Amino acid sequence: MIYETFREAIQNIWSNKFRTFLTMLGIIIGVMAVMVIVGLGNGMTTSIQNEFADMGTNLLTVQVMGYGSRSVKVKDFYELVEKNSDVLGDVSPNIRMSGTVKVGTDDDNYSSTSVEGVSEVYLNMAGYTIAQGRPLNYVDMDANKKVCVVGDYISRVGYGGNAIGQSIKIGREWYTIVGVLEAKIDDPSNQEGSSDDYIFVPYTTAMRVSGISTASSYAVLVPDEDNISKGKAIIENGLQELLHSDSGYMVISLSEMLDMMTSMVNMVVTVLTAIAAISLLVGGIGIMNIMMVSVTERTREIGIRKALGAKERTILSLFVVEAGTTSALGGIIGIGLGYTVSALATKVLAVIMTDMTITVIPTVGSIAVAFGISVGIGVLFGYLPAKRAASLNPIEALRYD
């Protein structure tokens, strides 16, 4: 009986292919939209997590603005970290340097290149690996040496991959390249302005060249990620004692930033998914409408079935199965279209967002939920027309022309 009911539902759908397709359109669009939006959200979340993993989620970023005439000396900050070595690990002042970057006698400026003064432990803290030469060391800091470590982009484009021992001009000063970092970006054409387009110099040299006596930014490593909150509190309390104020500094936890950004992405995805799900509701209304038309068109058929002994539940199941089958077919087409659009969106995003890789990945859960809701809506909205068909008076139905 179930097989015959399903077979007849397929025949009725096939006999009105174009009308059925238009009826399924809302379901198709709804399922596709839910898949793509959830996939985009997952891709963004994964990309953000990868970016933060490269920077290190166990790093604390400290900004010291000072309070009035009071400021925090580099020596004082190092002492604060050393006093709490059971929680806090390595520390590095971070000093952004301004000025144009020129390679040799090349007249072209590397305007996207970032130059930063750091300590000898920063490269390891930030997850960089030396590909050629050596990293910065304590002697470079102590002697204010004009040496630097450059990213793969500078070495490859400016020196043809042979940057060790060469000179590079930053602002008015010339620096000797002692190390080259391993590339972080796979595509060489997309390295400009990325984490491969960096120059690191000793922070003491950066302070001298920039004419400043202290650093306003620090990176602090917390070896145990479970102690992130504790480490943050220690630094905040220490800076408050040094500045006698709680408004002259800011301590940012990358793990907290990651959680916040992930929550924001999830919230946006939830809202967009709810909006996309409205298409499923519209599709359900379309199915109810077409089933009402189908009942009207098949009134005489229903009367004949009842005259031959068909029970109400048989007529009811006939139309409910047809409505559920229609929405299920729409869901299957929507899944196929969702995968196609997801793959296309991944390629488009790769062209648009060169510095960030986002892969639109539809999840099995989102597909199952979208398909289940589409079938459920079809059955739900098909029940009312089916109930109307089942309750028709057979004599009046036979007289219907």
Side-chain angles (χ1 to χ4, degrees):
M1 186 66 186
I2 295 175
Y3 170 76
E4 287 296 326
T5 302
F6 180 72
R7 185 178 64 82
E8 189 165 346
I10 293 294
Q11 288 177 345
N12 290 328
I13 290 171
W14 188 253
S15 62
N16 298 283
K17 295 184 288 294
F18 186 69
R19 186 177 74 178
T20 302
F21 175 75
L22 293 178
T23 302
M24 295 188 300
L25 204 54
I27 298 293
I28 294 171
I29 294 173
V31 171
M32 178 204 71
V34 169
M35 284 181 59
V36 173
I37 290 172
V38 173
L40 180 61
N42 290 332
M44 291 177 65
T45 300
T46 302
S47 181
I48 291 171
Q49 289 173 345
N50 291 338
E51 290 289 329
F52 274 81
D54 290 339
M55 293 186 289
T57 54
N58 58 342
L59 284 180
L60 294 175
T61 301
V62 183
Q63 296 290 334
V64 182
M65 294 77 73
Y67 183 74
S69 60
R70 291 188 290 271
S71 61
V72 177
K73 296 180 180 180
V74 173
K75 182 184 70 172
D76 295 335
F77 195 88
Y78 266 96
E79 289 177 355
L80 170 62
V81 173
E82 288 173 4
K83 286 179 182 177
N84 299 277
S85 58
D86 55 327
V87 176
L88 304 177
D90 293 330
V91 58
S92 171
N94 290 49
I95 300 168
R96 289 278 182 175
M97 292 181 63
S98 59
T100 57
V101 176
K102 291 186 178 182
V103 174
T105 57
D106 192 354
D107 292 330
D108 293 334
N109 295 335
Y110 288 69
S111 57
S112 301
T113 303
S114 297
V115 184
E116 192 167 351
V118 297
S119 74
E120 68 276 13
V121 298
Y122 179 77
L123 297 180
N124 186 52
M125 289 169 57
Y128 286 98
T129 303
I130 295 292
Q132 300 176 36
R134 67 170 178 84
L136 300 174
N137 56 39
Y138 177 77
V139 175
D140 298 329
M141 308 295 151
D142 189 52
N144 297 345
K145 287 188 176 182
K146 287 191 280 189
V147 295
C148 65
V149 173
V150 301
D152 174 76
Y153 175 78
I154 297 292
S155 174
R156 182 173 49 80
V157 175
Y159 301 94
N162 299 308
I164 301 299
Q166 301 288 340
S167 297
I168 188 169
K169 190 176 183 181
I170 305 172
R172 298 180 179 178
E173 305 286 338
W174 287 93
Y175 294 77
T176 301
I177 299 173
V178 296
V180 177
L181 300 173
E182 188 176 282
K184 285 195 171 187
I185 308 298
D186 295 332
D187 186 358
S189 63
N190 294 332
Q191 287 183 316
E192 184 176 359
S194 69
S195 53
D196 289 331
D197 192 9
Y198 249 102
I199 299 176
F200 294 103
V201 304
Y203 79 89
T204 52
T205 305
M207 289 172 61
R208 179 179 59 80
V209 171
S210 301
I212 58 177
S213 59
T214 187
S216 60
S217 178
Y218 297 86
V220 181
L221 180 69
V222 181
D224 187 353
E225 287 195 30
D226 294 335
N227 289 331
I228 289 290
S229 298
K230 185 177 180 181
K232 181 179 178 181
I234 288 172
I235 294 175
E236 288 176 337
N237 293 335
L239 292 176
Q240 188 174 20
E241 291 180 4
L242 290 170
L243 296 172
H244 304 291
S245 170
D246 58 0
S247 60
Y249 58 86
M250 182 169 58
V251 183
I252 303 171
S253 166
L254 291 182
S255 62
E256 290 178 356
M257 287 181 62
L258 174 60
D259 293 338
M260 182 178 66
M261 293 182 70
T262 302
S263 298
M264 290 175 62
V265 170
N266 290 337
M267 182 178 66
V268 172
V269 169
T270 301
V271 173
L272 292 177
T273 303
I275 294 173
I278 295 175
S279 296
L280 296 174
L281 182 62
V282 173
I285 295 172
I287 289 175
M288 182 172 66
N289 180 56
I290 206 65
M291 292 307 297
M292 294 289 283
V293 173
S294 181
V295 169
T296 303
E297 290 177 345
R298 298 167 63 185
T299 300
R300 189 173 180 82
E301 176 194 332
I302 294 168
I304 294 173
R305 287 176 181 273
K306 284 200 164 188
L308 292 175
K311 297 180 180 179
E312 284 194 7
R313 67 171 180 270
T314 303
I315 305 297
L316 182 68
S317 64
L318 180 67
F319 286 91
V320 168
V321 168
E322 185 173 334
T325 303
T326 301
S327 59
L329 288 174
I332 292 172
I333 296 173
I335 290 172
L337 191 60
Y339 273 112
T340 303
V341 174
S342 296
L344 182 62
T346 299
K347 293 182 179 180
V348 171
L349 289 172
V351 175
I352 296 174
M353 306 181 69
T354 57
D355 58 340
M356 190 174 185
T357 303
I358 298 179
T359 304
V360 182
I361 313 169
T363 62
V364 176
S366 66
I367 296 170
V369 169
F371 181 77
I373 291 177
S374 67
V375 175
I377 284 177
V379 173
L380 179 64
F381 282 83
Y383 180 80
L384 182 60
K387 185 67 177 176
R388 179 186 172 190
S391 61
L392 284 176
N393 186 294
I395 297 176
E396 293 180 357
L398 286 170
R399 288 176 178 174
Y400 184 84
D401 189 4

